[in-house]
Amino acid sequence: MNTVEKSFYGLPHVIEAQQFTRPWLESELFPMAKQMEAVIAAGGNEELRGKLMLLIFTEPSTRTSISFEMAMKRQGGMVVEREDATRISSMAKGEEGDDMFTVCGGYKPDVMVIRHHLEGVAARATKVAGGVPIINAGDGKGQHPTQALLDLYTIKKELGRVNGISIAMVGDLLNGRTVRSLSYLLGKFEGVRIYFVAPPCLQMQGDIRDYLERHGVAFANLNDVREAAPLVDVIYQTRIQTERGSSYDQNDPSQGYFKIDCDTLTVMKPKAIIMHPLPRVGEIDPAVDKDKRAAYFRQAQNGLFVRMALLKMILAPKTKS
Amino acid sequence: MNTVEKSFYGLPHVIEAQQFTRPWLESELFPMAKQMEAVIAAGGNEELRGKLMLLIFTEPSTRTSISFEMAMKRQGGMVVEREDATRISSMAKGEEGDDMFTVCGGYKPDVMVIRHHLEGVAARATKVAGGVPIINAGDGKGQHPTQALLDLYTIKKELGRVNGISIAMVGDLLNGRTVRSLSYLLGKFEGVRIYFVAPPCLQMQGDIRDYLERHGVAFANLNDVREAAPLVDVIYQTRIQTERGSSYDQNDPSQGYFKIDCDTLTVMKPKAIIMHPLPRVGEIDPAVDKDKRAAYFRQAQNGLFVRMALLKMILAPKTKS
Amino acid sequence: MNTVEKSFYGLPHVIEAQQFTRPWLESELFPMAKQMEAVIAAGGNEELRGKLMLLIFTEPSTRTSISFEMAMKRQGGMVVEREDATRISSMAKGEEGDDMFTVCGGYKPDVMVIRHHLEGVAARATKVAGGVPIINAGDGKGQHPTQALLDLYTIKKELGRVNGISIAMVGDLLNGRTVRSLSYLLGKFEGVRIYFVAPPCLQMQGDIRDYLERHGVAFANLNDVREAAPLVDVIYQTRIQTERGSSYDQNDPSQGYFKIDCDTLTVMKPKAIIMHPLPRVGEIDPAVDKDKRAAYFRQAQNGLFVRMALLKMILAPKTKS
């Protein structure tokens, strides 16, 4: 991943949050995403005309796949999209599971977006796809780097900065890959403080804690979102990933400690924001939506801008002057 | 819906059959649909180039979704299409169910076509989708307004008029939303007479009867399609909506009273037509297809023309001179 | 099918391997497919701009459908794609099953690609689709003619010739339609010798053997791929079609006789090739992939070129000078 750290254009796979440098995030990605807001406001362009994205998902994710497809088409590109979990993954066992990506690489799409129910598949696809750029759109319990990029862009846009922020990550931190990927990105900034607010059985794993420690990020565990709310600039709420086998009992009385409602709003800082990768299933009371601090729908929209920016950087690279 | 009644261009949601006025139907929609027949004959055009339709179906309907997608692409537009019932609807409960449309509205498609298994969802989507025009492609037991428009266009095209026609609606009138939406449209014309031909347990509901009464449409119940056939200009045959829980026993001997076969043809008027929203599952003997009065395949094709017309009116509005 | 044999351009349905003549294969298809390799290398073109393909699959086949869609889009064409087996096929019984194709034909796509779980459906669709060209992408236990064309193109490209080759067809010859369609094509060439290597319960059917006999193709049964390997120029390996009801016990010790591993490589001719329609599920050890004789991924890529060629021939026919 070293080449990526030097220049995104040189090796255009998007596999994991760690691969990006802070200078690239701040001086390349953020301005390009900002530019894309104007492109959408103008109804799109045709800068990626003739370019073709192949999007293969073996795990359902309507929102992510729609935003990728729209990010491509709004720039005039073409998309071939397949999302049938059972169908595509039925054969996907062991080394043979990669055959799909070898074959699809041979069809020569200009970029391949992969979501897979198994960790590490997107990274492996880069080895067999004959040089086609790969974007990891989520790999099992692994990462979801474009979600982390849009999360970071949202923080920057909403708060004006990333350095020095306090953030509470709430919910299922064991199985939620968005909080894992975001932690990696936050580790690249200074003065960040993280509170992990989760039931003990769903707490953040040791590998992330080690990474944060090595990168000088302060973190602590808390047991109640109401305790964290007054302390932070960002509440990053997640849902229990029952589809990845979370055993947490949602009817346990203590689950209320990990939900946001109008009471939470009263103890939050006035300029703090609430984020959520969506979909939600009960962790945020819809009554909260009306509050300006509810940033999750703006966050979802940022996903479109950030994915447009990534696609443009991969498919229409800057020419050196 | 008042603005719609004044000018379709001003408020471009297509939610329910009642919203359209007779002048709009006759002087805007019908001529535009006619024009689209020429566009198809010429192999399409690029008038909607750069425009993007987002089509979200949580309930299967291959034919409707294909005709919408072709209606867009034949005018040079782009389509993002998702139709996985189980996947999309798994989270769709209560207010949170509308999150999908809030998020998708934020992606700024130029139009959103929604089919949903729950009544009222398309109307609710207009509140959260940030101004994106919504087309209701069927909402549970609610309505299916574009089907009603293509049905009406078919009657006009085949018979030369809508005023003064007699029509028999046959089959499952309790659960079939096409006959409901068509009844609303017919109520806007004069001298129309409707016969409801259905088993008692599947008869047309009171709200439609009330509406027709208020609008001066004559209607009556009949128990046998053979009794209705000689009286009408249109037999509108529907299938039993087992997927919406119809309890009618299809092996009941009386079911023959609600089917069309070659015997029915012998008692029909020579210039009458047979319509069906398709797919059929036994209500019309395929031997009937060869008869010129079998209009259901022409009706299906009209769906393409009418949807093309609607999309053009929403996405390429007339400029006032 | 006579008109097809005279001129592919005159009657553009692609239904079964028998329909093609050897002159057409050699002087039309092969050169056009070769030309398409250059089109892909150049990043595509827009020769099929404004043309629309409707792709309807009632049986899963991610790879085939992706290559068809890319073949269309890389030439600037549009695609409407539906692949939901349960949804589309639920109504497909008897004559009514063809209604789908009558309706879709009425929507006037420029070409319709059909995969169906029942034999004969693509051929029947040509009768009801109102003149829309149909491509059979696999019909139950019937045929898969575009696979046969890409297989033949692969043999020609890899070995430089088709006349005089020896080929071993290995695996499930009873249910595999690719080996059936390829046999029909090989019957058009001279001096071809075929070995059928399969468990007795999965051997090649009598209709193909009769066809080969009538066309002067020599063939014989063998019981072990290791016996066939030293004799042939092509090993065409297939998988057990469990989804079509093969009763063969995959845990039977004799199954090893129908698999390819590194030992097989040691007894193969140095310039022979291994082909497989993919996906594989254990019949070829991935360790074999590194050997130059493993041609199956190149074969899959040829599918893109051959389908591009077919689409161009159907949709942008040569004008007579």
Side-chain angles (χ1 to χ4, degrees), chain A residues 255-306:
Chain A
Q255 69 165 330
Y257 302 159
F258 310 103
K259 286 184 174 178
I260 294 175
D261 55 22
C262 291
D263 288 346
T264 322
L265 291 173
T266 64
V267 294
M268 278 178 70
K269 293 185 185 177
K271 301 220 162 166
I273 57 170
I274 302 167
M275 297 174 65
H276 191 299
L278 300 177
R280 60 177 160 183
V281 284
E283 317 87 20
I284 301 180
D285 183 339
V288 170
D289 298 1
K290 287 183 292 285
D291 194 282
K292 278 199 169 176
R293 291 168 291 182
Y296 28 91
F297 292 125
R298 299 191 295 273
Q299 176 189 3
Q301 192 180 37
N302 288 336
L304 177 67
F305 306 137
V306 165

Side-chain angles (χ1 to χ4, degrees), chain B residues 298-309:
Chain B
R298 299 192 295 274
Q299 176 189 3
Q301 192 181 38
N302 288 336
L304 177 67
F305 306 137
V306 164
R307 287 173 183 130
M308 286 177 77

Side-chain angles (χ1 to χ4, degrees), chain B residues 49-294:
Chain B
R49 180 153 170 198
K51 300 294 184 185
L52 198 156
M53 167 197 285
L54 177 53
L55 187 150
I56 296 186
F57 277 37
T58 70
E59 196 187 55
S61 178
T62 309
R63 278 150 246 244
T64 301
S65 83
I66 288 176
S67 72
F68 265 114
E69 185 165 350
M70 292 190 71
M72 190 70 185
K73 290 187 167 169
R74 275 302 190 199
Q75 296 182 85
M78 300 174 284
V79 179
V80 172
E81 172 257 342
R82 296 293 183 277
E83 289 188 68
D84 193 319
T86 32
R87 192 199 304 172
I88 297 176
S89 65
S90 59
M91 307 294 172
K93 282 161 204 147
E95 261 182 278
E96 287 180 352
D98 296 340
D99 282 4
M100 165 64 92
F101 304 110
T102 312
V103 170
C104 288
Y107 294 155
K108 297 296 171 204
D110 296 292
V111 64
M112 201 159 10
V113 178
I114 299 173
R115 169 167 293 205
H116 204 279
H117 54 287
L118 296 178
E119 195 173 340
V121 167
R124 286 214 315 273
T126 64
K127 313 289 184 210
V128 300
V132 174
I134 306 288
I135 299 178
N136 178 9
D139 61 326
K141 291 191 184 183
Q143 288 211 26
H144 192 358
T146 64
Q147 176 75 41
L149 294 173
L150 78 89
D151 289 344
L152 196 73
Y153 180 64
T154 301
I155 292 170
K156 170 73 180 178
K157 196 172 146 188
E158 296 276 336
L159 302 179
R161 70 197 155 91
V162 181
N163 287 327
I165 65 153
S166 292
I167 179 170
M169 296 182 175
V170 185
D172 181 353
L173 307 182
L174 176 66
N175 297 291
R177 62 192 162 198
T178 61
V179 284
R180 293 176 55 83
S181 288
L182 179 58
S183 296
Y184 280 120
L185 283 188
L186 290 174
K188 296 173 184 290
F189 290 81
E190 279 153 39
V192 172
R193 177 176 290 272
I194 308 182
Y195 298 97
F196 297 125
V197 188
C201 61
L202 297 177
Q203 260 297 359
M204 182 59 86
Q205 287 179 275
D207 61 336
I208 296 290
R209 292 172 187 270
D210 292 348
Y211 175 91
L212 293 173
E213 212 156 272
R214 283 199 312 276
H215 287 73
V217 175
F219 59 88
N221 287 359
L222 287 177
N223 297 313
D224 188 334
V225 70
R226 290 165 296 190
E227 200 181 337
L231 306 174
V232 298
D233 306 300
V234 179
I235 299 179
Y236 194 103
Q237 180 75 29
T238 67
R239 72 186 168 83
I240 307 296
Q241 302 276 322
T242 46
E243 75 274 28
R244 294 214 186 83
S246 285
S247 58
Y248 179 61
D249 176 9
Q250 297 203 49
N251 296 316
D252 188 298
S254 75
Q255 70 164 332
Y257 301 159
F258 310 103
K259 285 183 174 180
I260 295 175
D261 55 22
C262 291
D263 288 345
T264 322
L265 290 173
T266 63
V267 295
M268 279 179 69
K269 293 185 186 177
K271 299 219 161 166
I273 56 170
I274 301 167
M275 297 174 67
H276 191 299
L278 302 178
R280 61 177 161 183
V281 283
E283 318 86 20
I284 302 181
D285 183 340
V288 170
D289 298 0
K290 287 182 293 286
D291 193 283
K292 276 198 169 178
R293 292 169 290 183

Side-chain angles (χ1 to χ4, degrees), chain B residues 46 73-74 83 280 282 301, chain C residues 49 79 96 99 106 108:
Chain B
E46 298 209 337
K73 290 187 167 169
R74 275 302 190 199
E83 289 188 68
R280 61 177 161 183
Q301 192 181 38
Chain C
R49 181 153 170 198
V79 179
E96 287 180 351
D99 282 4
K108 296 297 170 202

